[in-house]
Amino acid sequence: MSDIGVAEIPVDEKERPLPPPQPPVKNALLDGPILRTLLWLAWPNVMALTAGTCVVIAETSYIGRLGVEPLAAMALVFPCVILTMTMSGGAMGGAVASSIARAIGAGDRERASTLAAHALLIGICFGLVFMLGMLIFGPKLLELLGGRGNVLAQAVAFTQIFFGGAVIPWLMNSMAGILRGTGNMKLPSALMLSSAALQIVIGGSLALGIGPIPSFGMRGVAAGALIAFSVSIAVMSWYMFSGRARVVPKLRGLRIQGAMFFDILKVGAIACFSPLQGVLSVSIFTHLLANFGTEVLAGFGIGARLEFLLTSIAFAVGIASVPMVGMAIGAGRVARARRIAWIAGAVTFVSVGSIATLIAIFPDLWVNIFTGDPGVRAASRQYLATAAPMYAFIGLSLSMYFSSQGAAKVLGPVLAQTARLVFIAVGGWWLSTHDATAGNFFVLAASSMVMLGVLSSLSVVFTRWGPKPAPMKVQAAVS
């Protein structure tokens, strides 16, 4: 009679059956429901970016107390500051998060740690480039932008302090990118909240002077920002190098590897053109609308502030999609990565579009916050009624941009931004030579938003995210 194999039941030392083994822990970013995971990652970013908006409002308030010239100086230098923060945070920071997420998705923690160290080096190098560039060429640039007299002197004073420490924001956003690449959105967002509070308190105190602290003016505003950013760097450094993060930058015995730099820069270097082109687009519109007078320009500015606020929502959702898409790509799950991109796009389109359309229908909800001037109010209402519903396409384009970062295929959305810039420049030139009204320029702005959203989406449709198919081997017929 043959023996019959029976599966042995595992028991403890008293021969009691042991409980069944626990299933392996799943990665929520790779295996969890897409919409719920996306919103879980996005909500801390929404809170943090709202705090960033509060910083802009608070700075405008206490700089205004210094006088009209410092306020004009801040307006002059603000595009340079925004460009620095968006390049280091959204462009290069997103590229860092993408590379880390793809390494984790592929199950290669060693590579992720090495990438993190190279990301810090990239942040330091780019910070040094911005520092030297603005300290050497900044005064001339600000003069070309229209700075004169004491306004130029105040702007240069801010530049000397803020860009003298340009390594600090670049290093801060590089660290935040590393953490976000591991799926940790809460710590960078919490630090953005605390940094915003510190920036308001310290910057306001140093700018205006409180008690024994003298007034440092615009230099105090810049110093307050750098101090707040330094606190964030200290906390993130402690968190990462104490082993609490999923990835610890590998600094001991680090060998510089060109392939690691390439993995980050192939996304980040291209992505940096997107915020640059965005700033140029706004600058062109500002220049064109300035010909219609202060009221129209101010009305456009009020609408642009709403766009800035609502794109924070798109940024929050978009940056949350980067590690989800990156891990899916790293794990070879391209279909899931594309589903994440489209769900994130739908969330941003609906959320941004709903709020913007409400403001377009009831513009006084927004306009009343800023002005009571009848001319400015009329221009603001006209701009919001025309362009605000199209902010949904701006949100869609940002979402496609960040999802493409996660897939390391960001060229398409950047070229869509290039197409928008050319469209605005050519369309603006044509309108300015045909006696167009301000309303015609508002239509041009709205049309450019639709074009940007559509082209960014098409770039995701037609760009291959997965590996190239291997060539088929043709076998010779055997006779």
Side-chain angles (χ1 to χ4, degrees):
M1 189 173 175
S2 61
D3 294 333
I4 299 176
V6 179
E8 184 177 347
I9 300 175
V11 294
D12 61 12
E13 65 276 3
K14 296 183 179 179
E15 297 189 354
R16 292 176 300 188
L18 292 173
Q22 294 292 326
V25 178
K26 291 186 176 181
N27 185 338
L29 277 69
L30 265 178
D31 303 299
I34 292 174
L35 180 59
R36 188 172 69 187
T37 304
L38 183 69
L39 296 178
W40 175 72
L41 291 174
W43 76 262
N45 296 330
V46 173
M47 300 297 294
L49 291 164
T50 302
T53 304
C54 293
V55 169
V56 174
I57 296 171
E59 280 188 344
T60 304
S61 174
Y62 58 69
I63 292 172
R65 294 179 62 183
L66 292 172
V68 175
E69 290 179 336
L71 201 58
M74 192 66 209
L76 191 65
V77 78
F78 188 67
C80 300
V81 175
I82 287 297
L83 188 62
T84 304
M85 299 306 293
T86 52
M87 275 192 176
S88 61
M92 197 63 70
V96 170
S98 169
S99 63
I100 298 293
R102 282 182 278 114
I104 292 175
D108 194 342
R109 293 293 180 89
E110 181 72 15
R111 178 181 177 84
S113 297
T114 306
L115 282 166
H118 284 74
L120 297 180
L121 293 177
I122 289 173
I124 292 170
C125 291
F126 270 79
L128 290 173
V129 169
F130 268 76
M131 180 188 74
L132 294 174
M134 287 301 292
L135 290 181
I136 297 171
F137 303 108
K140 187 62 177 179
L141 174 62
L142 295 171
E143 187 177 351
L144 289 174
L145 291 174
R148 298 291 184 273
N150 194 40
V151 171
L152 177 60
Q154 297 270 7
V156 170
F158 180 94
T159 300
Q160 290 172 340
I161 300 299
F162 186 86
F163 287 98
V167 171
I168 294 175
W170 273 92
L171 192 56
M172 177 188 71
N173 283 321
S174 296
M175 288 183 170
I178 293 170
L179 291 174
R180 287 184 174 123
T182 67
N184 185 344
M185 298 287 166
K186 290 184 178 180
L187 180 59
S189 298
L191 289 174
M192 284 181 70
L193 282 168
S194 60
S195 178
L198 284 174
Q199 195 172 342
I200 291 171
V201 173
I202 299 174
S205 301
L206 294 176
L208 301 175
I210 294 179
I213 302 174
S215 172
F216 292 98
M218 294 296 288
R219 288 187 173 88
V221 177
L226 294 181
I227 292 170
F229 296 161
S230 298
V231 173
S232 295
I233 290 174
V235 175
M236 284 189 285
S237 298
W238 166 79
Y239 185 82
M240 285 193 292
F241 292 105
S242 65
R244 288 169 172 79
R246 293 177 68 183
V247 168
V248 179
K250 186 179 180 181
L251 298 181
R252 186 183 297 275
L254 175 67
R255 289 190 307 107
I256 303 299
Q257 301 178 44
M260 298 295 167
F261 284 130
F262 178 76
D263 195 19
I264 298 171
L265 293 175
K266 72 180 180 182
V267 178
I270 297 172
C272 281
F273 284 98
S274 185
L276 177 60
Q277 292 175 135
V279 169
L280 288 174
S281 297
V282 173
S283 300
I284 290 173
F285 263 116
T286 301
H287 175 72
L288 293 171
L289 291 173
N291 297 323
F292 292 94
T294 304
E295 292 178 341
V296 170
L297 187 59
F300 168 73
I302 289 173
R305 284 188 183 94
L306 177 64
E307 180 182 342
F308 174 75
L309 177 64
L310 293 182
T311 51
S312 296
I313 299 174
F315 182 94
V317 177
I319 201 69
S321 72
V322 172
M324 293 182 68
V325 172
M327 288 187 189
I329 291 293
R333 299 170 62 177
V334 178
R336 176 179 170 87
R338 288 193 174 276
R339 284 198 301 273
I340 294 167
W342 294 122
I343 290 173
V347 169
T348 54
F349 187 88
V350 171
S351 56
V352 172
S354 299
I355 299 172
T357 302
L358 177 67
I359 298 298
I361 298 171
F362 304 104
D364 288 345
L365 292 174
W366 181 252
V367 176
N368 287 345
I369 299 173
F370 299 97
T371 183
D373 184 274
V376 177
R377 290 171 67 86
S380 296
R381 291 192 188 104
Q382 184 181 13
Y383 178 77
L384 290 171
T386 305
M390 305 306 143
Y391 288 171
F393 290 92
I394 294 288
L396 178 63
S397 70
L398 273 173
S399 183
M400 295 297 102
Y401 167 76
F402 281 112
S403 293
S404 298
Q405 276 190 326
K409 301 288 184 179
V410 79
L411 180 61
V414 171
L415 290 178
Q417 186 73 263
T418 304
R420 184 199 183 199
L421 179 61
V422 172
F423 177 75
I424 290 172
V426 174
W429 169 81
W430 189 88
L431 289 175
S432 63
T433 59
H434 287 77
D435 298 323
T437 65
N440 297 134
F441 284 94
F442 294 163
V443 171
L444 175 66
S447 302
S448 72
M449 296 173 192
V450 176
M451 184 182 74
L452 177 61
V454 171
L455 290 179
S456 298
S457 300
L458 288 175
S459 73
V460 172
V461 172
F462 292 111
T463 300
R464 181 186 298 278
W465 279 13
K468 294 181 180 180
M472 295 182 64
K473 297 180 180 179
V474 180
Q475 295 181 349
V478 180
S479 57

